[in-house]
Amino acid sequence: MKIAILSRNEKLYSTRRLVEAAENRGHEVRVLDVLRCYMNITSRRPTIHYKAEVLNGFDAVIPRIGASVTFYGTAVLRQFEMMGVMPLNESVAISRSRDKLRSLQLLAREGVGLPVTGFAHKPDDVEDLMKMVGGAPAVIKLLEGTQGIGVVLAETQKAAESVIEAFMGLKANILVQEFIKEAGGADIRCLVVGGKVVAAMKRQGKEGEFRSNLHRGGSANLTRLTPEERATATRAAKIMGLNVAGVDILRSNHGPVVMEVNSSPGLEGIESATQKDIAGMIVEFIEKSMAASHSSRSRTRTRGSKG
Ligand code: ADP
Ligand code: MG
């Protein structure tokens, strides 16, 4: 197969590992900087150009699109889809997962466990909004945040109101969430590939930190998932329409709750914590899907929830 990897930097661990895994399995791989791709979107025979070259002959495309380039990145991925190239994760599913609110709404509709979450626009709703999520302590999140930046724990009602008002004053979109204290500053990253949890790790925030992000100094360890946690992770990925997803779960005293579903999960933390060849599993999944799509002749169709 000829596989394209959309990544801004071929030196990144995840990109390197995917290249290595694909080459080991006998495929031809090309890393393309998504921002360098350009295209005529109105042509009836869609093409993608790259540094004055017309790209063709690709069978599959692995999107590794960073949060800051979602808009352009998903447009390029869509163009690959128009050309009949099989995406590992579809553009619609990636766009869906990049919007925290939309994701939570879709998961809620299907009855997936979630932390009680509220959303508001006007500051005069703040007191009632806080009541809605069970009062302080509460977690306040910027909708566009990643890597733990823009996630604040407000310990008291007064602190929560000030933070919410400050963010609203800046016209930032925020959500307010029940604080899952019993998670103890840890969360579970479940890696789903092709409808199965293939690896999981527990991430623990450093001393005194409620955010478990590895970028914030958290550490990763092995963990055993309960059947309920496993089922929650696979359902979340399926609802989002993602073949490959990093589903983040908090262990709450009302069962596993999904915090977010990541469409370009990093491989470094999870491969080193579990010693598993996740990149290899991803390439194997592409091989299987290609074989199946050759027989059904439908490579791209929109999966997951409407909306
Ligand atoms: P980001 O997208 O920036 O990673 P998250 O929503 O994943 O934002 O939050 C970052 C971290 O903060 C999580 O990994 C988790 O450890 C902690 N956290 C987030 N929401 C809650 C919550 N409602 N209760 C307890 N801890 C939380
Ligand atoms: Mg996170």
Side-chain angles (χ1 to χ4, degrees):
M1 276 194 303
K2 191 167 160 187
I3 303 174
I5 300 180
L6 299 181
S7 168
R8 297 234 47 219
N9 183 352
E10 56 191 355
K11 296 198 182 77
L12 296 175
Y13 177 92
S14 303
T15 308
R16 278 194 286 115
R17 286 284 300 122
L18 288 163
V19 169
E20 196 175 275
E23 285 177 347
N24 284 344
R25 299 178 71 93
H27 304 296
E28 185 186 336
V29 197
R30 203 116 167 239
V31 177
L32 304 168
D33 177 350
V34 78
L35 294 187
R36 288 218 154 111
C37 294
Y38 54 101
M39 57 235 170
N40 177 347
I41 52 171
T42 54
S43 166
R44 285 192 62 191
R45 301 193 61 218
T47 53
I48 298 175
H49 296 240
Y50 193 73
K51 299 181 184 174
E53 172 200 354
V54 181
L55 299 176
N56 55 40
F58 287 101
D59 300 293
V61 51
I62 302 180
R64 300 280 320 170
I65 295 167
S68 60
V69 297
T70 301
F71 184 73
Y72 194 75
T74 51
V76 173
L77 180 60
R78 205 175 307 123
Q79 187 81 349
F80 273 102
E81 292 166 3
M82 303 283 174
M83 291 159 61
V85 181
M86 193 195 77
L88 176 64
N89 277 332
E90 280 181 27
S91 55
V92 217
I94 295 173
S95 308
R96 202 185 270 140
S97 74
R98 288 289 155 85
D99 181 339
K100 285 188 190 191
L101 255 187
R102 183 179 178 188
S103 304
L104 292 177
Q105 287 172 319
L106 295 172
L107 295 171
R109 184 174 64 187
E110 302 296 325
V112 171
L114 301 168
V116 180
T117 306
F119 178 68
H121 184 69
K122 277 200 184 67
D124 48 66
D125 306 328
V126 169
E127 217 184 305
D128 197 40
L129 179 67
M130 280 297 295
K131 222 187 276 165
M132 202 155 78
V133 303
V139 176
I140 297 148
K141 298 186 189 184
L142 282 175
L143 232 42
E144 288 84 21
T146 56
Q147 307 183 343
I149 299 164
V151 179
V152 182
L153 172 61
E155 313 253 9
T156 65
Q157 178 77 20
K158 275 279 153 265
E161 285 174 16
S162 314
V163 174
I164 295 170
E165 277 164 12
F167 279 152
M168 283 179 170
L170 295 170
K171 305 240 180 289
N173 282 314
I174 54 161
L175 52 82
V176 182
Q177 210 161 59
E178 154 198 25
F179 175 50
I180 311 292
K181 187 165 193 277
E182 61 275 21
D187 74 348
I188 314 292
R189 161 58 63 95
C190 303
L191 212 101
V192 179
V193 178
K196 288 197 191 77
V197 177
V198 297
M201 63 178 168
K202 179 174 176 171
R203 298 178 298 197
Q204 180 72 56
K206 61 180 185 210
E207 188 68 33
E209 172 63 72
F210 81 102
R211 295 168 301 175
S212 61
N213 301 66
L214 301 181
H215 287 101
R216 306 258 71 74
S219 55
N221 282 296
L222 285 178
T223 187
R224 267 194 90 78
L225 297 183
T226 65
E228 194 188 2
E229 287 166 348
R230 206 169 273 279
T232 301
T234 51
R235 277 190 71 211
K238 182 161 186 233
I239 293 164
M240 299 304 294
L242 293 167
N243 295 316
V244 170
V247 182
D248 294 342
I249 287 179
L250 292 173
R251 288 181 164 151
S252 85
N253 53 22
H254 49 94
V257 291
V258 173
M259 228 175 1
E260 59 176 347
V261 184
N262 198 310
S263 56
S264 285
L267 300 183
E268 188 164 14
I270 192 106
E271 284 195 339
S272 57
T274 62
Q275 295 295 309
K276 286 186 180 169
D277 175 16
I278 313 285
M281 294 180 197
I282 290 175
V283 176
E284 195 185 335
F285 169 76
I286 295 173
E287 291 166 359
K288 284 194 189 135
S289 317
M290 281 295 293
S293 74
H294 275 309
S295 45
S296 74
R297 305 190 100 257
S298 69
R299 286 195 186 174
T300 307
R301 70 195 162 84
T302 299
R303 296 178 190 81
S305 281
K306 297 278 172 288

